Amino acid sequence: MRRGDEAGRRRIYLDETHLRGHVTGIERITLDLFAPETLAPHEVRPVTSGSLPGMIAAQQLGLPLRALLDREALLLFPGFPPGPLCAVAAERCLLYVHDTFLITRTADLSLRSRLYMSPSFALALRWCPNLFVNSRTTGEAVRGLCADHARVALLRPGVRDAFGLGDLPGPAGYAAGQPLRLLAIGTIEPRKDYPAALALTAALIRAGVSAELHLVGRVGWGRHEFLDDPPPTCIATATCPMPSCAGSRPRAIC
């Protein structure tokens, strides 16, 4: 398929080698934001793997080989960073960046992430000219690390009505004297700034509003002092009810 054929339709090799069972936020964005129907009318060819060695082989050798053999195709990386050899087709590589913690918070990473993902990510930010980010904050961080000539574009994932709340008639009524319950659902990570949510809840309480903050989700990467040493106003415990979070220890939250 040549460039410009069929009104600009392109072939896209979509890196799905990291999709092997357990679905976290990164995998969910790959499945939702970069689904073939979303990328239509382009021809999407997912590149998958069934094992960790297969993933490494595909990322480091298989995808660069596809880039060499199919010189009109694009390569889209929505999860893991591309391997260094993909630099041979830098202009045709598209990298979606979820966060910069692979470089900025290496102390919080596992040994495998430090040895495998961090070097590839740092190199990719230097040679990949087509970068997408999930927020303006991430975009600012990426701009400070990527090449000067790189294009950094905001591409937010859509918000799904995962709990079927869209058909509710309206916000719940608030009765004076009853606590205002604030709920956050998702993996607990530093980038979600839960200390700010704690500060907001504390401010409401100081203003005379009875308030509770409930965090529901498994503990992700990073350090969370407010979980290890809950504030004095701690009034609830929560764990993630999802099957993928089985085994999460109850945590006290305020």
Side-chain angles (χ1 to χ4, degrees):
M1 180 180 298
R2 308 301 296 177
R3 190 186 305 274
D5 285 357
E6 299 185 29
R9 186 169 182 262
R10 300 289 295 273
R11 185 160 37 250
I12 301 176
Y13 291 104
L14 176 62
D15 181 12
E16 291 188 353
T17 57
H18 57 295
L19 301 181
R20 297 193 314 279
H22 183 60
V23 175
T24 65
I26 290 178
E27 285 79 16
R28 191 170 296 110
I29 287 176
T30 300
L31 294 170
D32 293 350
L33 189 59
F34 299 103
E37 56 269 23
T38 303
L39 296 174
H42 301 292
E43 177 192 352
V44 178
R45 295 190 178 183
V47 179
T48 61
S49 67
S51 64
L52 181 60
M55 180 196 75
I56 294 174
Q59 290 176 356
Q60 302 300 321
L61 299 174
L63 283 160
L65 183 60
R66 282 179 168 84
L68 288 174
L69 297 177
D70 192 348
R71 295 182 179 272
E72 296 298 330
L74 302 176
L75 289 86
L76 176 56
F77 301 91
F80 280 29
L85 293 180
C86 286
V88 299
E91 290 294 332
R92 293 184 283 125
C93 288
L94 311 171
L95 172 59
Y96 190 83
V97 180
H98 300 263
D99 206 312
T100 58
F101 67 82
L102 285 172
I103 295 177
T104 59
R105 301 183 67 98
T106 54
D108 296 320
L109 302 177
S110 66
L111 179 61
R112 288 186 297 180
S113 294
R114 287 200 300 268
L115 294 178
Y116 183 75
M117 294 184 65
S118 291
S120 292
F121 182 62
L123 286 173
L125 287 184
R126 297 177 189 173
W127 60 256
C128 187
N130 307 301
L131 304 169
F132 296 96
V133 294
N134 60 358
S135 70
R136 290 184 175 88
T137 300
T138 302
E140 293 172 0
V142 167
R143 179 52 72 189
L145 296 169
C146 68
D148 293 338
H149 66 277
R151 295 176 290 273
V152 181
L154 179 64
L155 181 61
R156 293 184 184 276
V159 178
R160 294 186 301 152
D161 185 14
F163 297 97
L165 304 178
D167 295 331
L168 293 179
Y174 175 68
Q178 295 296 316
L180 176 63
R181 295 183 174 89
L182 309 176
L183 174 64
I185 301 176
T187 306
I188 299 175
E189 299 173 344
R191 60 184 170 182
K192 297 176 182 176
D193 201 6
Y194 285 119
L198 290 167
L200 175 61
T201 306
L204 288 171
I205 293 173
R206 289 195 300 269
V209 178
S210 177
E212 302 174 1
L213 174 62
H214 296 258
L215 309 182
V216 181
R218 67 183 179 88
V219 178
W221 67 276
R223 297 183 176 87
H224 312 279
E225 295 181 359
F226 66 90
L227 293 180
D228 298 328
D229 185 19
T233 53
C234 173
I235 54 177
T237 60
T239 55
C240 182
M242 304 301 180
S244 61
C245 297
S248 298
R249 292 190 296 114
R251 295 283 187 163
I253 27 250
C254 92

